[in-house]
Amino acid sequence: CIRDRGGEEHFDKLANFILQEFMNKDILFEPMKEARQRYTEYFASNEGKIGEEDLQRYKKQLAKIEEIIVLLEKDADRELMIARFDELQALGDPPECIKEQQD
């Protein structure tokens, strides 16, 4: 258990280091492209079957995924990528069938 202020700061630095290590093109590029493909296939096979609220949320998720792909292609600042991932996460869960494919 981390109890002192210095320990919290150390933990924050460690967590930030870990996030930054995983926020690179070599690790994320292919999975993000695969996620984009799964969303595209999902929209095509479920046209007219998705409620409007869910449809709009899923389209926003796909837009964030596409933004992340562009950032990865440009080797953008990791803090910017982390912000986009936070925004993606704030949009909620993906469609159940996409979520199952990620597990």
Side-chain angles (χ1 to χ4, degrees):
C1 235
I2 299 171
R3 294 184 189 268
D4 61 77
R5 198 143 179 70
E8 287 178 21
E9 186 176 315
H10 177 72
F11 180 77
D12 289 344
K13 286 180 181 178
L14 177 62
N16 190 35
F17 171 77
I18 291 169
L19 276 175
Q20 290 194 13
E21 284 298 306
F22 286 103
M23 290 289 161
N24 71 56
K25 188 175 183 177
D26 294 337
I27 293 174
L28 292 174
F29 193 66
E30 287 304 317
M32 295 310 292
K33 285 177 31 181
E34 289 172 11
R36 177 178 58 192
Q37 181 64 34
R38 288 194 294 264
Y39 271 86
T40 303
E41 291 169 359
Y42 175 79
F43 290 139
S45 65
N46 289 286
E47 188 174 345
K49 300 176 188 174
I50 309 167
E52 188 60 31
E53 185 177 319
D54 286 338
L55 178 62
Q56 292 308 312
R57 183 166 46 93
Y58 298 154
K59 285 184 176 183
K60 288 177 184 177
Q61 291 171 349
L62 177 57
K64 287 296 169 195
I65 289 168
E66 290 172 341
E67 286 179 38
I68 292 167
I69 290 170
V70 169
L71 292 174
L72 289 167
E73 289 172 336
K74 294 180 178 181
D75 289 322
D77 177 69
R78 288 184 176 134
E79 293 297 321
L80 187 56
M81 284 194 284
I82 290 170
R84 292 301 173 269
F85 272 100
D86 287 344
E87 292 167 4
L88 176 60
Q89 184 177 12
L91 291 170
D93 287 335
E96 194 62 38
C97 62
I98 292 176
K99 190 176 177 182
E100 290 170 0
Q101 291 174 356
Q102 292 174 338
D103 292 339

